[in-house]
Amino acid sequence: MVKENIPTAANFIAAIISADINASKNDGRVLTRFPPEPNGYLHIGHAKSICLNFGLAKDFGGLCNLRFDDTNPTKEEQEYIDAIMEDVRWLGFDWEDRLYFASDYFEKFYEFAVFLIRKGKAYVDSLSADEIREYRGTLTEPGKESPYRNRSIEESLELFERMKNGEFPDGSHVLRAKINMASGNLNLRDPVMYRILHASHHRTRDRWCIYPMYDFAHGQSDSIEGITHSICTLEFEDHRPLYDWFIEELELAAHPQQIEFARLNLSYTIMSKRKLVRLVADGHVKSWDDPRMPTISGLRRRGYTPESIRDFCDRIGVAKKESTVDMALLEHCLREDLNLRARRVMAVLKPLKVVLENYPEGSVEHLDAVNNPEDAGAGTRKVPFSRVLYIEQDDFMEDPPKKFYRLAPGREVRLRYGYFITCMRVVRDEESGEIVELRCTYDPETRGGNAPDGRKVKATLHWVSAEHSVKAEVRLYSHLFKKENPAAVEEGGDFTANINPHSLEILHNCRVEPGLAEVLPETIFQFERLGYFCADRYDCIAGRLVFNRSVTLRDTWAKILKKG
Ligand code: ATP
Ligand code: MG
């Protein structure tokens, strides 16, 4: 790596790496890794870690591995592995041929364990799990040594081998590191290294019935792979002395440097996998990739782009201090990205029929509409206009309050790319009294949206032609939780109490421009005046249009309403 090309440090971790390169540490090499445990789908917090690990490697001319820390066979599944790989790729990162599994190192870990027993640095303990917990002490009280702690090396070696051979039931013995039961750091009070677990592993099948603890696997995996900078979240700060202890006692040559950063917390969102699993298992959402989920696959299905997520991760930066990022920032990043790229179209979510009484029956015009005002190259398209149209129910009020400028009886407004129309009469359903139709007139002189006499209108409405438009289902999503911090619950309460019962509203009778009839899944549009909408990845198929609202546009009327 050429030193002149080292980028200026974007954050404190980049500064550390930069200094390491300057000092020729690790021969100037940079190798990071993203180490998920395959026990759930990746979420936006993981995206931060992915962008950081792959991003730093790229910035410093290094590489980043993908490694599954798969040490817990009871919670891990192939489905999660597949989903994780798909999500990392979709985000735009590539581990090339550097795909690793901690389970690939099980043999090595076993040898490491034997090495520590031989050295007198590990022993088989035969206390029960409850007893071990009891003996562990607390933050204010030192722990107590197990009566098995001074068992002979030979006895521990023999028991450990018999543990491996499947001679003992789960929970009857564990292997522990012999460090210090009085340490102020609880992680150093003879932590468990191995436990007996008669469970089949998704990769090693029934080869093992003892499994290493995460803390005995993680640091060694990094060392085996020659990771230079092990970047992880703050909760591992207290584990660092233990990881260092293992690597030193194992006399391993490669000693990765662990650097901790604050995890991402996002308002109106939970990030704990344990809780996300529950949302899916208990049916609060439909699946891991439900567009309300903070998972990468959920965000994708909602209409988030890899670019917007990477931009978000860039903007939130990296710090040493916990904080909560406002969900509005994530939404902002999506709007910024889509504003430049998304094609504008017209769609009416809650249709109200408009009949133009003076428009010739049976006649159709094809009006020019701009595809994207932010991108001249996107060109224009033709939109059919005819005597019977749909506008949005919300764009009409029979008795409008002061600041409502849209359509009302006797009032003139502009139809986007079309004509000025004036509302002459309201037609009601005889039984329900509901407004079912507006009878209007149009001014043929205003084609394209301007009056030759210079008269102005205060509102421009979107619309579709009744006969030409296509039916669509639209799913309106809002926050999955009512509270900014969903984890904050009354004593004895559960986070599910904070679930927003109105996070999904499905509209079945929406109408969209005919040009959308053949839309491909995952195409994102701006529905003019409404927001950005994404053709659902799975449910939008030929003959059945389904759109997810990704994010709204800012609605000034809603703000006025709010202010009361
Ligand atoms: P678990 O409780 O299952 O360990 P986890 O969220 O830590 O959950 P991992 O699969 O271990 O999940 O995480 C993989 C990597 O992503 C780790 O390096 C972890 O530090 C990082 N990570 C997890 N959550 C966040 C978050 N909210 N912000 C930033 N990084 C995160
Ligand atoms: Mg973890």
Side-chain angles (χ1 to χ4, degrees):
M1 141 125 234
V2 189
K3 281 186 185 167
E4 290 74 63
N5 289 341
I6 296 170
T8 49
N11 56 56
F12 80 94
I13 302 181
I16 293 172
I17 296 180
S18 186
D20 287 349
I21 293 174
N22 280 324
S24 290
K25 196 173 164 188
N26 305 304
D27 304 321
R29 203 170 48 89
V30 175
L31 181 60
T32 57
R33 82 287 176 264
F34 173 62
E37 195 184 338
N39 60 355
Y41 280 55
L42 297 182
H43 52 60
I44 182 74
H46 293 116
K48 175 176 179 174
S49 174
I50 294 167
C51 289
L52 189 60
N53 279 295
F54 280 92
L56 285 168
K58 185 164 172 260
D59 288 350
F60 290 100
L63 295 169
C64 180
N65 294 353
L66 175 62
R67 182 182 66 244
F68 288 97
D69 271 339
D70 54 350
T71 53
N72 186 355
T74 59
K75 294 216 168 131
E76 295 161 5
E77 285 172 29
Q78 186 63 39
E79 178 196 343
Y80 296 138
I81 293 179
D82 297 339
I84 288 170
M85 293 202 287
E86 184 179 18
D87 289 346
V88 176
R89 269 199 208 100
W90 177 79
L91 271 179
F93 299 104
D94 188 0
W95 56 88
E96 298 169 321
D97 57 352
R98 297 178 312 283
L99 170 64
Y100 300 106
F101 293 84
S103 55
D104 290 343
Y105 312 137
F106 280 176
E107 206 72 52
K108 270 219 169 96
F109 296 155
Y110 183 79
E111 286 166 22
F112 287 163
V114 170
F115 182 86
L116 290 182
I117 301 173
R118 287 221 164 93
K119 220 176 153 181
K121 297 289 180 180
Y123 61 97
V124 170
D125 195 357
S126 309
L127 290 180
S128 69
D130 283 341
E131 287 166 324
I132 290 179
R133 209 168 303 125
E134 226 174 273
Y135 276 58
R136 203 165 171 233
T138 63
L139 282 171
T140 49
E141 280 168 61
K144 223 166 57 179
E145 292 187 356
S146 161
Y148 303 100
R149 195 175 200 260
N150 293 316
R151 189 169 243 168
S152 74
I153 289 174
E154 288 66 34
E155 197 185 349
S156 275
L157 278 174
E158 188 208 315
L159 284 171
F160 188 52
E161 178 159 11
R162 291 175 60 198
M163 280 167 64
K164 182 194 72 166
N165 292 342
E167 292 184 33
F168 305 118
D170 291 0
S172 52
H173 306 280
V174 291
L175 183 72
R176 298 180 73 174
K178 196 189 265 191
I179 309 180
N180 178 5
M181 287 308 290
S183 171
N185 182 342
L186 270 79
N187 294 303
L188 297 178
R189 292 186 189 169
D190 292 13
V192 173
M193 293 162 56
Y194 265 94
R195 66 220 157 121
I196 303 173
L197 205 61
H198 290 268
S200 188
H201 185 277
H202 60 101
R203 295 190 83 239
T204 59
R205 304 291 161 202
D206 298 319
R207 164 107 183 65
W208 298 90
C209 61
I210 55 171
Y211 289 95
M213 301 302 289
Y214 180 86
D215 275 353
F216 186 60
H218 185 73
Q220 277 74 267
S221 301
D222 281 349
S223 172
I224 290 169
E225 290 171 22
I227 300 299
T228 56
H229 300 85
S230 300
I231 299 162
C232 64
T233 37
L234 282 178
E235 71 271 23
F236 293 102
E237 198 163 14
D238 289 347
H239 296 239
R240 179 164 18 101
L242 174 60
Y243 298 167
D244 288 344
W245 187 90
F246 280 134
I247 287 180
E248 272 155 37
E249 292 299 342
L250 286 167
E251 300 161 32
L252 298 179
H255 195 146
Q257 178 184 1
Q258 178 169 307
I259 307 169
E260 304 88 8
F261 70 97
R263 60 175 48 233
L264 167 67
N265 300 299
L266 196 59
S267 60
Y268 296 102
T269 309
I270 50 160
M271 225 79 95
S272 144
K273 273 192 270 181
R274 195 174 45 81
K275 289 179 182 163
L276 293 175
V277 168
R278 269 196 57 205
L279 287 177
V280 180
D282 298 352
H284 297 292
V285 294
K286 295 198 175 65
S287 52
W288 278 99
D289 65 358
D290 187 299
R292 290 166 291 182
M293 289 283 272
T295 50
I296 294 176
S297 52
L299 291 167
R300 171 178 181 178
R301 204 166 163 190
R302 175 88 167 244
Y304 275 81
T305 58
E307 291 84 355
S308 62
I309 295 176
R310 293 200 303 260
D311 178 35
F312 171 75
C313 292
D314 248 17
R315 292 190 200 210
I316 56 175
V318 190
K320 263 282 188 198
K321 197 169 160 286
E322 289 282 349
S323 65
T324 299
V325 175
D326 194 332
M327 174 69 108
L329 177 61
L330 180 61
E331 295 177 343
H332 176 75
C333 293
L334 181 61
R335 283 194 197 97
E336 293 268 291
D337 183 32
L338 295 180
N339 180 41
L340 300 177
R341 302 198 289 158
R343 244 179 71 192
R344 274 58 167 172
V345 294
M346 292 195 282
V348 175
L349 301 188
K350 294 178 183 162
L352 173 60
K353 196 170 170 185
V354 167
V355 179
L356 303 178
E357 292 184 315
N358 59 339
Y359 194 89
E361 218 143 341
S363 144
V364 188
E365 280 174 273
H366 294 275
L367 305 172
D368 286 312
V370 174
N371 285 334
N372 185 351
E374 302 291 327
D375 175 10
T380 60
R381 68 188 183 284
K382 298 283 185 191
V383 187
F385 185 90
S386 64
R387 181 179 153 90
V388 184
L389 311 169
Y390 289 120
I391 64 164
E392 209 68 65
Q393 284 171 19
D394 291 349
D395 282 338
F396 175 79
M397 277 184 105
E398 200 169 18
D399 189 13
K402 244 194 184 158
K403 287 185 175 169
F404 186 87
Y405 299 120
R406 300 173 245 170
L407 200 58
R411 187 181 289 173
E412 188 172 50
V413 298
R414 176 190 294 109
L415 293 183
R416 182 96 160 129
Y417 303 120
Y419 296 92
F420 285 10
I421 63 164
T422 305
C423 177
M424 310 306 285
R425 200 153 52 83
V426 172
V427 181
R428 293 177 180 283
D429 180 275
E430 276 178 20
E431 269 168 38
S432 67
E434 223 180 291
I435 299 173
V436 290
E437 188 178 308
L438 303 178
R439 306 298 287 197
C440 301
T441 56
Y442 86 112
D443 178 356
E445 300 295 313
T446 57
R447 192 176 202 267
N450 289 303
D453 63 7
R455 74 180 189 280
K456 301 279 181 228
V457 287
K458 282 197 167 149
T460 302
L461 310 186
H462 61 275
W463 53 274
V464 293
S465 164
E467 182 195 336
H468 304 91
S469 61
V470 195
K471 221 175 125 173
E473 175 181 320
V474 173
R475 299 170 181 170
L476 303 179
Y477 297 101
S478 34
H479 295 323
L480 184 54
F481 292 96
K482 293 179 284 190
K483 276 200 184 156
E484 239 176 82
N485 176 10
V489 286
E490 318 239 311
E491 236 188 83
D494 186 67
F495 77 99
T496 51
N498 290 328
I499 290 179
N500 171 11
H502 309 294
S503 59
L504 170 59
E505 183 190 353
I506 303 181
L507 303 174
H508 293 279
N509 294 310
C510 312
R511 313 288 306 200
V512 299
E513 279 182 24
L516 268 58
E518 308 286 321
V519 69
L520 293 174
E522 300 202 275
T523 316
I524 309 169
F525 298 95
Q526 184 190 103
F527 288 179
E528 292 211 24
R529 300 179 61 229
L530 296 173
Y532 294 97
F533 292 76
C534 174
D536 189 83
R537 189 175 171 194
Y538 300 110
D539 298 340
C540 188
I541 49 173
R544 180 174 182 233
L545 294 180
V546 180
F547 291 95
N548 299 319
R549 183 172 67 195
S550 316
V551 67
T552 58
L553 301 172
R554 265 144 287 184
D555 182 352
T556 49
W557 176 243
K559 274 187 203 148
I560 291 167
L561 273 185
K562 229 184 194 169
K563 280 186 197 151

